[in-house]
Amino acid sequence: MHALLADLILALHAAVVAFVIGVELLVLLGGRRGWRWIRNRALRIVHLALIGFVAVQSWLGDLCPLTEWEMALRARAGQPTHDLSFIEYWLSRLLYVDAPWWTFVLGYTLFGLLVLASWWWVPPRPPARRPR
């Protein structure tokens, strides 16, 4: 059961990463194409909060809670674990990148700055005003 839960957390983690990267790509593309839905304020706040959390964690040298949770479950299931961040571990496995931690901190930070800059390039809609 622990191995199954670890796999589910891994899938959730992959979905979060896909969301953060995918939304940014869609914001930049949709801003140029005039897509209104990419200006949704709630979507943009969640997006910015997620990448902000990841960047701050990397500055502090902490692993993502999802990574820690997954590894704890894998250890309880008797499966091998690692002590790297989700992105560092999977990108290094997929792309054979052997890079120091600081390169991932820099990558998270630069991506976070790109997300923040997109608030100016493609600003979200202001909150709707409530009728009085």
Side-chain angles (χ1 to χ4, degrees):
M1 186 60 159
H2 290 106
L4 175 62
L5 289 173
D7 289 342
L8 290 174
I9 291 169
L10 177 61
L12 172 65
H13 209 161
V16 169
V17 171
F19 173 81
V20 169
I21 293 170
V23 167
E24 184 59 21
L25 293 173
L26 290 171
V27 164
L28 295 174
L29 178 65
R32 300 205 29 97
R33 294 188 175 238
W35 298 343
R36 291 182 40 84
W37 68 269
I38 56 97
R39 295 181 186 270
N40 179 285
R41 192 174 225 22
L43 171 70
R44 300 290 292 280
I45 288 171
V46 168
H47 185 236
L48 183 60
L50 279 171
I51 190 59
F53 179 77
V54 169
V56 169
Q57 266 189 305
S58 71
W59 299 334
L60 298 173
D62 293 340
L63 290 177
C64 175
L66 291 174
T67 299
E68 291 177 349
W69 194 10
E70 177 198 347
M71 291 303 99
L73 287 167
R74 293 209 185 282
R76 290 187 77 179
Q79 294 181 334
T81 63
H82 56 81
D83 61 353
L84 304 173
S85 75
F86 175 82
I87 297 294
E88 185 177 12
Y89 178 75
W90 287 105
L91 282 181
S92 66
R93 287 191 52 135
L94 293 173
L95 304 175
Y96 307 105
V97 174
D98 185 19
W101 177 256
W102 69 265
T103 60
F104 295 94
V105 173
L106 179 63
Y108 297 146
T109 301
L110 291 175
F111 193 82
L113 290 172
L114 175 65
V115 170
L116 190 59
S118 71
W119 274 64
W120 280 271
W121 298 329
V122 185
R125 287 188 305 269
R129 293 184 184 243
R130 293 177 140 174
R132 291 185 179 202

